[in-house]
């Protein structure tokens, strides 16, 4: 039996979450005595495919056709299911990304498999009984999901598992799956990406700001701080609703849920809807001049002070530390 891991790419480059998923599958394989086979769909160069061995894949199934250059949910689901059946996979691992959230339940349904979405730790147990720890209630609680069917599907939250290198040279095999024409009944004609920005769901550091910034004209220092840290920028819902920042930066219960290693909240009071989207962050730093701001109750570190005084000093200190 094998573990199949689907690895996403963006314009032919694997995301960090893909390497996390392969490392996660390799760790499970080490526990269960299985091996990891990766599945790549799209136009990916051989050099990128070889990287998957570095993180634990012994073989890479490469599906590369013009028709599959862009993500097509139904067709990608059919390919993953076809590959899982061909290698008799007992476990399928995906990243819990935008694509993975659409793929995982479809794959599980077609394979009559048990599903755990949003895993944050390695599963415990063995055989037909795996216990998987996942986030629940928008990250405010944990759930322990029991997977008891012969085939299982796990989607892994980004930034939840450390990338680990292995000394494996993966073999690359072109794979020609069976795909029904009906799987292309709905296709994505074009995806326009903000290519110069770090993806929020995968960012290791997020610098976020709220109405405490008083207006969109004051966002330059937030972007400068993010640039110095190599971070993604985010904002609260009132900020995006007011049009100060694009809705694509809105994090929270009704926006994007993030789980970075470091979340810096500047001028955000900490409404429960916002906390629901960021509470899985490993370390939270809050900068707010109101010492009673609810955000301080969940912060690991807090600075009570005016953002317009604190942030410039923080940028200067970071630039000095980094020699910029």
């Amino acid at each position: 039996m094998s573990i199949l891991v689907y690895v996403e790419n963006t314009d032919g480059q694997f995301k960090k979450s893909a390497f996390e998923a392969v490392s996660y599958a390799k760790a499970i394989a080490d526990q269960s005595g299985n091996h990891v086979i990766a599945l790549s769909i799209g136009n990916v160069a051989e050099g990128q495919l070889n990287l998957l061995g570095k993180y634990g894949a012994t073989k890479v199934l490469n599906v590369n056709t013009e028709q599959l250059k862009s993500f097509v949910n139904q067709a990608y689901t059919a390919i993953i299911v076809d590959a899982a059946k061909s290698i008799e996979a007992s476990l399928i691992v995906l990243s819990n990304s935008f694509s993975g959230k659409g793929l995982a339940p479809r794959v599980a349904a077609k394979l009559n498999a048990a599903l755990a979405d949003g895993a944050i730790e390695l599963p415990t147990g063995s055989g037909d009984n795996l216990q998987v720890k996942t986030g629940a209630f928008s990250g405010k609680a944990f759930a322990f999901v029991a997977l008891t069917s012969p085939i299982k599907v796990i989607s892994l939250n980004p930034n939840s598992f450390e990338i680990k290198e292995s000394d494996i040279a993966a073999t690359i095999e072109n794979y020609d799956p069976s795909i029904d024409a009906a799987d292309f009944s709905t296709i994505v004609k074009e995806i326009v990406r903000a290519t110069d920005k770090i993806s929020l769901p995968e960012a290791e550091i997020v610098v976020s700001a709220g109405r405490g910034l008083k207006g969109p004209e004051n966002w330059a220092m937030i972007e400068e701080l993010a640039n110095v840290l190599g971070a993604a920028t985010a904002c609260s819902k009132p900020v995006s609703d007011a049009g100060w920042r694009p809705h694509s930066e809105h994090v929270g219960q009704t926006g994007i849920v993030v789980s970075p290693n470091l979340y810096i909240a500047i001028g955000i009071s900490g409404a429960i809807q916002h906390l629901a989207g960021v509470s899985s962050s490993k370390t939270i730093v809050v900068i707010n001049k109101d010492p009673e701001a609810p955000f301080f109750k969940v912060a690991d570190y807090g600075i009570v002070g005016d953002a317009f005084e604190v942030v410039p000093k923080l940028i200067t200190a970071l630039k000095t530390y980094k020699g910029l």
Side-chain angles (χ1 to χ4, degrees):
M1 303 291 276
S2 303
I3 297 175
L4 179 71
V5 54
Y6 166 62
V7 284
E8 293 179 36
N9 73 83
T10 302
D11 298 329
Q13 302 291 313
F14 288 126
K15 301 177 179 180
K16 173 174 171 280
S17 58
F19 300 135
E20 291 173 346
V22 177
S23 298
Y24 183 80
K26 177 65 167 63
I28 298 174
D30 289 343
Q31 293 176 346
S32 57
N34 291 321
H35 59 280
V36 177
I37 297 177
L39 173 65
S40 171
I41 305 174
N43 186 13
V44 180
E46 186 173 341
Q48 279 287 301
L49 297 174
N50 284 328
L51 282 177
L52 300 174
K54 183 178 177 182
Y55 300 104
T58 56
K59 181 190 288 187
V60 180
L61 302 179
N62 181 34
V63 181
N64 184 2
T65 68
E66 186 66 25
Q67 203 176 17
L68 295 166
K69 281 179 64 178
S70 297
F71 176 70
V72 185
N73 200 329
Q74 298 96 317
Y76 276 43
T77 298
I79 295 169
I80 296 170
V81 170
D82 187 276
K85 289 180 177 176
S86 72
I87 65 170
E88 297 183 340
S90 57
L91 173 64
I92 297 91
V93 175
L94 307 91
S95 174
N96 196 36
S97 61
F98 288 122
S99 300
K101 287 176 181 176
L103 288 169
R106 285 174 177 266
V107 170
K110 287 181 176 290
L111 290 173
N112 196 25
L115 168 66
D117 59 335
I120 55 175
E121 288 184 2
L122 281 175
T124 58
S126 61
D128 286 348
N129 192 351
L130 289 184
Q131 306 287 325
V132 183
K133 184 178 181 180
T134 69
F137 298 108
S138 300
K140 295 192 288 291
F142 299 118
F144 293 87
V145 181
L147 304 180
T148 57
S149 67
I151 302 176
K152 304 165 184 64
V153 177
I154 298 176
S155 64
L156 175 69
N157 270 358
N159 292 322
S160 294
F161 193 77
E162 184 180 358
I163 292 175
K164 295 180 180 177
E165 295 188 6
S166 302
D167 187 21
I168 296 175
T171 59
I172 300 171
E173 178 181 312
N174 289 328
Y175 186 66
D176 185 18
S178 173
I179 313 173
D180 196 298
D183 292 327
F184 291 96
S185 57
T186 301
I187 62 173
V188 178
K189 297 185 69 174
E190 184 183 16
I191 297 175
V192 180
R193 292 187 175 90
T195 54
D196 60 335
K197 292 187 175 181
I198 299 172
S199 169
L200 253 181
E202 297 184 355
E204 295 192 42
I205 304 174
V206 174
V207 177
S208 186
R211 284 187 296 183
L213 269 291
K214 299 181 180 178
E217 67 276 9
N218 296 317
W219 235 261
M221 67 177 183
I222 301 301
E223 293 178 332
E224 185 177 4
L225 177 59
N227 287 334
V228 172
L229 290 169
T233 54
C235 68
S236 62
K237 185 175 186 298
V239 164
S240 63
D241 285 347
W244 295 3
R245 300 296 291 179
H247 283 286
S248 58
E249 291 190 1
H250 164 207
V251 296
Q253 191 170 32
T254 55
I256 298 173
V257 176
V258 296
S259 54
N261 292 326
L262 174 61
Y263 186 83
I264 302 176
I266 302 169
I268 302 175
S269 62
I272 191 169
Q273 294 88 348
H274 186 81
L275 297 180
V278 307
S279 58
S280 296
S281 305
K282 290 186 174 60
T283 302
I284 295 177
V285 176
V286 172
I287 301 172
N288 201 304
K289 65 180 180 182
D290 179 6
E292 301 299 323
F295 223 144
F296 282 119
K297 294 180 180 178
V298 299
D300 296 283
Y301 301 94
I303 300 174
V304 179
D306 190 329
F308 296 98
E309 296 178 5
V310 175
V311 174
K313 290 179 180 177
L314 184 57
I315 292 171
T316 300
L318 286 166
K319 285 185 173 179
T320 301
Y321 176 76
K322 292 192 170 189
L324 300 176

